[in-house]
Amino acid sequence: MDFANGRAVIKQLFPNAQITSGYRGPNHPLSKKNPDSYHAKTHGAVDVAPIAGMTFDQYVSAIRGAGYRIVEARDEVRNPSKYATGPHWHVIVTGK
């Protein structure tokens, strides 16, 4: 699978987004807790703080509308995973 640089995609589409996480690599403490995380293995995973004036569904739709595919999308504000470090929106983006 051809992963996009999630951080770059989000910055391009949402210049004011507050990115809270992207690629972490296998030696990062959170990657060691969850080695199967896309954050540990690809540059496609990216987490952002919720964007004011936008819903999670609008955020995901805007990424898809720009031509990117999303492998995974989780609203970790409403349903945080056990690895979540705070409320955020999580997506894994592949190339166009």
Side-chain angles (χ1 to χ4, degrees), residues 1-2 4 63-64 67-72 92-96:
M1 192 173 301
D2 181 29
I63 297 167
R64 287 187 174 130
Y68 294 95
R69 290 171 301 208
I70 296 177
V71 173
E72 183 176 88
I92 301 165
V93 183
T94 65
K96 289 186 176 186

Side-chain angles (χ1 to χ4, degrees), residues 7-56:
R7 186 180 289 270
V9 168
I10 298 308
K11 272 301 186 193
Q12 176 189 12
L13 297 176
F14 310 98
N16 296 321
Q18 179 187 352
I19 296 175
T20 60
S21 188
Y23 176 71
R24 293 194 285 252
N27 294 320
H28 188 280
L30 289 175
S31 296
K32 288 182 178 186
K33 286 183 180 182
N34 184 14
D36 293 328
S37 169
Y38 281 89
H39 287 285
K41 301 183 288 187
T42 77
H43 289 268
V46 61
D47 299 341
V48 301
I51 299 170
M54 179 173 275
T55 68
F56 175 71

Side-chain angles (χ1 to χ4, degrees), residues 41-92:
K41 301 183 288 187
T42 77
H43 289 268
V46 61
D47 299 341
V48 301
I51 299 170
M54 179 173 275
T55 68
F56 175 71
D57 290 337
Q58 290 170 331
Y59 172 70
V60 171
S61 292
I63 297 167
R64 287 187 174 130
Y68 294 95
R69 290 171 301 208
I70 296 177
V71 173
E72 183 176 88
R74 288 195 312 248
D75 181 348
E76 295 206 51
V77 173
R78 291 181 177 222
N79 298 302
S81 73
K82 67 181 180 178
Y83 302 107
T85 57
H88 65 274
W89 295 340
H90 167 84
V91 293
I92 301 165

